[in-house]
Amino acid sequence: MELTKKTHACVRLEKDGQTLVIDPGVFSEEDAAVGADAILVTHEHMDHFNEDRLRAGMEANPGAEIWTLASVAEQLSAAFPGRVHTVGEGDTFTAAGFDVEVHGQLHAVIHPDIPRITNVGYLLDGGAVFHPGDALTVPEGRTVDTLLLPVHAPWNKVAELIDYVRAVAPRRAIDIHDSLLQDRARPLYDAMIDKLGGTDHGRLTPGTSTTVG
């Protein structure tokens, strides 16, 4: 399959003529979900869920469907009856020809005073790609080929990222969740994760693609 990095946490995957988009948020391109046959959303924060981006994708393709957690689904179900599906940890389904497993329950801790919300990660095609959303979820019992690594956020630090890569032990890790990371900081993050993560690590410029799976 082909993976195209979009801005921030959004990625676009294509296989056998079908397209799946994950987390088209406010930092993503306005047309990030246009052309999608299926859209997955990990949680309700604006950098992962933007209603305008989703509506654009759903209206461009009357056959497109969304899979997401309850807090997002309840905001969209009335507008797209029968096309929005609620999922949670342990669920499995097929979307745009991709086999999807749902892993995880909660968003990472931002601060003890901020209540945690629901967050789910999506494992595609038995481990070809894992998008954890805003959490450092390890898909237990699964071998991950390509881990999409949330490299910069108010809720993480580089030591946690390194330990997370080690715990998942993917063949490679590709950065996502990076639009707030300044360019001058990227070489520092790259050097530490490359040296200590124990796997092939890299990043893609938004709009560029790589083969996964």
Side-chain angles (χ1 to χ4, degrees):
M1 71 184 78
E2 183 177 73
L3 181 149
T4 301
K5 171 77 164 64
K6 308 300 282 186
T7 300
H8 198 55
C10 182
V11 295
R12 187 180 186 98
L13 295 124
E14 297 177 73
K15 183 184 72 169
D16 298 333
Q18 296 196 80
T19 299
L20 179 142
V21 172
I22 306 177
D23 279 3
V26 70
F27 297 147
S28 305
E29 295 77 4
E30 291 186 6
D31 64 349
V34 173
D37 298 290
I39 304 167
L40 311 181
V41 180
T42 62
H43 66 287
E44 64 198 75
H45 284 163
M46 68 176 186
D47 55 329
H48 297 256
F49 161 52
N50 178 265
E51 189 170 341
D52 290 341
R53 306 289 192 268
L54 291 174
R55 284 180 175 273
M58 296 290 277
E59 290 169 358
N61 179 3
E65 298 178 75
I66 295 172
W67 282 263
T68 187
L69 38 71
S71 60
V72 173
E74 64 189 15
Q75 299 181 56
L76 299 168
S77 295
F80 302 105
R83 299 169 64 190
V84 181
H85 312 281
T86 302
V87 298
E89 184 177 39
D91 287 342
T92 60
F93 57 92
T94 300
F98 293 84
D99 294 325
V100 185
E101 298 177 12
V102 183
H103 293 264
Q105 299 182 34
L106 293 173
H107 191 286
V109 175
I110 302 172
H111 186 276
D113 290 351
I114 298 176
R116 296 175 73 182
I117 63 170
T118 306
N119 175 95
V120 296
Y122 297 109
L123 186 75
L124 307 182
D125 285 355
V129 177
F130 183 55
H131 190 310
D134 273 8
L136 301 181
T137 301
V138 177
E140 298 294 342
R142 295 299 187 193
T143 298
V144 176
D145 184 78
T146 299
L147 172 66
L148 301 178
L149 181 65
V151 72
H152 182 261
W155 49 266
N156 70 22
K157 60 184 180 181
V158 72
E160 295 171 336
L161 296 174
I162 291 166
D163 288 345
Y164 180 53
V165 172
R166 290 177 174 180
V168 177
R171 181 180 65 84
R172 66 172 172 173
I174 296 175
D175 289 350
I176 58 168
H177 212 285
D178 56 357
S179 65
L180 299 182
L181 183 62
Q182 293 189 17
D183 287 343
R184 63 185 179 183
R186 290 181 182 272
L188 179 62
Y189 276 70
D190 289 344
M192 288 189 286
I193 297 170
D194 290 348
K195 181 179 180 180
L196 300 172
T199 194
D200 179 32
H201 165 253
R203 48 190 167 88
L204 298 171
T205 301
T208 59
S209 303
T210 187
T211 299
V212 297

